[in-house]
Every structure is written in C-alpha cells, then in structure tokens.
Amino acid sequence: MISVTQPFLPPQEEYQKYLDGIWKRNWLTNMGPLASQLEMELKDHLKLKHLLFVTNGTIAIQMAIKALEITGEIITTPFSFIATTSCVVWEGCTPVFVDINPQSLCIDPTKIEDAITEKTSAILATHVYGNPCDVEAIEIIAKKHNLKVIYDAAHAFGVEINGKSIFEYGDISTCSLHATKLYHSIEGGLIITKDSELLKKLSFIRNFGISGFDSFSELGINGKNSEFHAAMGLTNLKYISKIHDKRKSLAALYDEKLKGLKAIKPLWHNKANENFAYYPVILESEELLLKIKAEMDKQEIFTRRYFYPSLASALPYLPKLELPITEDIAKRILCLPFYYDLTLEEIELISRVMLRIQNN
Ligand SMILES: *Cc1c(COP(=O)(O)O)cnc(C)c1O
C-alpha cells in the first residue's frame, strides 16, 4: 500500500526531551515557553518580524477576517481547500469567486476588478500548492479599490519571492502546520502580519479577547495551541532542510520517470523558489485521470483529486457557479503520493503503472 501522504515524524527521543521539560514545568498550554520558543525560532527561520502560533490553519483565516473587520463580499478562489471558502461563510461574509489562471492555478488578477462591487471589502487568495499568487498585481488592485488582502498560505511554508518570505505579502498571511503539510506541529497554524498593532489585536483575539486581568479589548476566540504541539514543531524544525532536500530529489525523479505522461505541471512563479509541498499533474483528460486512478486504487496506490470539485460549484450552502478554467483543471488534476518516506522504488513503480495505463 502506498498512501498519498504521510506525516514526517522525527526520532522519538528528540520529541521526548521536550516532554521531559513539560512534565517538570507542568505548563501544558496557554502560550507556554515552548509555544513562545517556537514562535521565536520560526521568526528567525523565516526572517519575519511578527507571527503567531495558533490552533490550526482554519482558525487562522477566521481570526484574520475578524481582525481586519471585514464584512460583505470577499473575492476569493474556487480552487483551494474547503477551509478557504468555509471560513468566509463562517464569518458571515459572502464569497465571490473569480476564476484561476490556467498555468499558475492561483486566482487570475485580470478577472478581479470585474467582480468588485460596492460591498467588496477584501481579497482572500490561496498560494496553490505553495506556488505564489501574482502578489504584485493583487496589491495594485487592492490599493486602488481600498481592499484588504489575506493570503491563505497553508501550503507555502518556506517559499520566498524576491528573497523574502511569501508570508510578508498581504495584510495578513496564514499558514497551516497540520500533520499532512510539509512542515507540521501535528495540528497548528500561523498568522503573519507586518503591522504590530494588528498583531497585538490578533494576540488578544487568540485568547478570548482578554487584554488584562479583568479586561476585554474585543471579541475573541480560543485560538491558542499547546506545549505538546509546539514541541513537535520545534523538533521538526530541525529537519526542515533535510525534508526539503528529500522532497526535491523525489520530485526530480517523478519528473524524469513521467516524461512520457500526457500531462503538465502547474507553472511555478518565476521569482519564487519551490517548496515541493505536493506533486500535482494535470492530465490530458478526465477520462485518463479516472482510468489511472481506478487502476492505482486497485493496486492500493492512493492518489488524490486535489482540489476537486470546484468550491464555486459544489457547496450545498452556496449558489452554484461554473467557472470554466477551474471546472476544467479540477477535473484533470491529480496529486500523486508525495512524502518524506516515499522511496525511489515506489516512485518508479507509480510512474510505470501510470504510463502503462495511459499507453494501453
Ligand atoms: C490545510 C489547509 C487549510 C486548513 O488548515 P488546517 O490546519 O487543517 O485547519 C486551509 N487552506 C488550505 C489551502 C489548506 O490546504
């Protein structure tokens, strides 16, 4: 059996060392020393001034919408994980979907202005598979129309553009540190902003809006994370360059072995480094995809239709809108097994099976 993803796990004794400290201090959650240490080490690693460690990547988006006081319509992408859209609806706002660029698979900035109405207050865009959106074009549109920008950067850990972290773009960027992500703390998320006042507000929101012993500054929620999760984040951070190098070599092998496949890969931003978070292929047709997937399922090689279906046409709580490029790509894109412990032999096997089905 080959699964589509597998979490990275560090040597157990290295995690255990952090647990010894937790037992000594008996401080389990509520922004303890390990959570603070993780924030410091991540700021250092990512060359960022501010960030917050929160419960998960979903609450990070909700807190961002809340902190920026966004209401009304939010322009967003239909080609993302469900959380990108559900957070908008959960916060009482209306998602307005704009189609994607067929090469980058990120929101197409040339189509954003047509979707702006007097109710629009923000743009929420995803760096799909870690591939940066056209952040410069989005910034120009946002400034012109006085809109806030949030990036769902759940996939984008370690991506830099023009030598600076992709997390620096937008009013707020959010990241997920979920176990299935490239770098994880089991469950976890990050909120990044350059604005120190906004960061302060977010830190109150993370803790029920409590701003002092007997005072509340705003409406908050429980967005805190625990010492146990921070410990996993700290342990895994020591392996981040090893994880990156391994994934890079796995991707290169897939590239080589799948040369004959009738498929293309998303076009990566020309000023950004790749973080090798996923290995998606856009197949020639949905028919070929279904044939490949069915045969692979039989052999217990699990692939995932990610992202499928389009968020604009598949949610029971929203009106259905078929955006042509998203509909087309979502039907033809398949994420192949891709994780740290995947072996070269497994990639050879997966590639062989795919090519055989195609050429049959
Ligand atoms: C994983 C993911 C999220 C949600 O993150 P969680 O940590 O699982 O809550 C949001 N957006 C995208 C694009 C994701 O892939």
Side-chain angles (χ1 to χ4, degrees):
M1 200 270 284
I2 304 176
S3 46
V4 65
T5 187
Q6 250 182 45
F8 174 83
L9 275 175
Q12 202 177 336
E13 58 279 8
E14 292 181 29
Y15 185 65
Q16 185 64 44
K17 275 193 205 128
Y18 286 106
L19 297 190
D20 294 343
I22 296 176
W23 255 258
K24 252 186 232 132
R25 288 185 295 273
N26 197 356
W27 187 348
L28 308 187
T29 188
N30 283 10
M31 298 320 295
L34 294 181
S36 303
Q37 189 185 337
L38 180 62
E39 287 183 343
M40 298 246 293
E41 290 195 16
L42 283 173
K43 276 189 262 190
D44 201 45
H45 177 75
L46 298 164
K47 291 176 273 172
L48 293 169
K49 231 169 132 186
H50 305 300
L51 65 75
L52 293 176
F53 178 46
V54 297
T55 322
N56 55 56
T58 304
I59 209 158
I61 303 171
Q62 290 173 217
M63 288 170 60
I65 295 171
K66 198 70 99 194
L68 292 167
E69 297 173 21
I70 293 166
T71 57
E73 294 174 359
I74 300 181
I75 290 177
T76 190
T77 176
F79 192 70
S80 186
F81 181 59
I82 177 66
T84 316
T85 300
S86 64
C87 288
V88 171
V89 179
W90 198 266
E91 289 304 316
C93 298
T94 307
V96 174
F97 293 106
V98 165
D99 213 351
I100 55 171
N101 175 297
Q103 293 182 312
S104 72
L105 311 188
C106 295
I107 197 167
D108 184 346
T110 66
K111 294 181 178 152
I112 290 178
E113 283 197 294
D114 283 345
I116 296 174
T117 71
E118 69 278 10
K119 291 190 196 137
T120 310
S121 50
I123 299 167
L124 167 58
T126 302
H127 302 306
V128 177
Y129 309 122
N131 186 22
C133 296
D134 187 342
V135 286
E136 276 141 23
I138 291 172
E139 191 171 322
I140 290 168
I141 296 165
K143 280 221 173 89
K144 183 171 158 197
H145 297 274
N146 195 23
L147 305 176
K148 302 288 187 198
V149 178
I150 300 171
Y151 286 112
D152 180 347
H155 298 171
F157 192 90
V159 174
E160 289 188 351
I161 189 169
N162 302 318
K164 70 176 183 180
S165 170
I166 191 65
F167 294 158
E168 288 199 40
Y169 289 84
D171 293 282
I172 293 179
S173 284
T174 63
C175 187
S176 167
L177 306 186
H178 183 258
T180 54
K181 301 314 203 250
L182 169 80
Y183 163 72
H184 76 89
S185 62
I186 312 171
E187 290 275 358
L190 300 174
I191 304 186
I192 302 98
T193 176
K194 284 190 288 195
D195 179 338
S196 53
E197 279 304 304
L198 188 56
L199 186 91
K200 199 166 149 198
K201 182 170 176 180
L202 283 159
S203 73
F204 292 145
I205 289 176
R206 176 173 66 177
N207 190 28
F208 309 99
I210 296 172
S211 55
F213 278 112
D214 302 305
S215 57
F216 305 94
S217 57
E218 50 236 299
L219 178 63
I221 193 156
N222 184 356
K224 296 178 274 93
N225 210 329
S226 82
E227 291 293 277
F228 295 81
H229 294 86
M232 184 59 82
L234 285 164
T235 315
N236 285 345
L237 194 56
K238 299 190 173 70
Y239 288 88
I240 194 68
S241 75
K242 236 178 130 180
I243 292 170
H244 175 271
D245 293 350
K246 179 71 186 293
R247 284 176 171 267
K248 186 177 177 177
S249 68
L250 295 175
L253 187 64
Y254 262 134
D255 288 349
E256 187 198 318
K257 296 290 166 191
L258 289 175
K259 261 193 198 126
L261 188 72
K262 290 175 188 150
I264 52 165
K265 294 208 301 175
L267 185 67
W268 203 266
H269 194 295
N270 62 5
K271 288 182 189 140
N273 65 301
E274 289 190 48
N275 66 347
F276 308 101
Y278 297 89
Y279 196 91
V281 290
I282 307 167
L283 291 152
E284 189 184 50
S285 65
E286 186 179 27
E287 192 193 346
L288 178 58
L289 180 146
L290 292 172
K291 247 169 74 183
I292 287 177
K293 190 163 189 316
E295 179 58 29
M296 306 259 275
D297 283 351
K298 243 192 256 164
Q299 303 205 20
E300 299 199 309
I301 299 171
F302 296 109
T303 56
R304 185 163 171 215
R305 300 189 77 180
Y306 191 67
F307 304 111
Y308 173 85
S310 158
L311 298 172
S313 64
L315 301 182
Y317 45 86
L318 290 176
K320 310 241 172 301
L321 174 68
E322 293 203 352
L323 293 162
I325 296 168
T326 302
E327 291 292 327
D328 174 49
I329 298 284
K331 286 192 177 97
R332 294 191 288 125
I333 198 158
L334 193 65
C335 283
L336 305 186
F338 199 61
Y339 48 88
Y340 183 83
D341 289 319
L342 192 64
T343 65
L344 302 182
E345 292 71 32
E346 285 169 326
I347 291 188
E348 280 174 8
L349 170 70
I350 295 161
S351 306
R352 214 163 40 230
V353 173
M354 289 182 75
L355 288 170
R356 201 186 61 229
I357 301 158
Q358 169 191 284
N359 299 331
N360 246 342

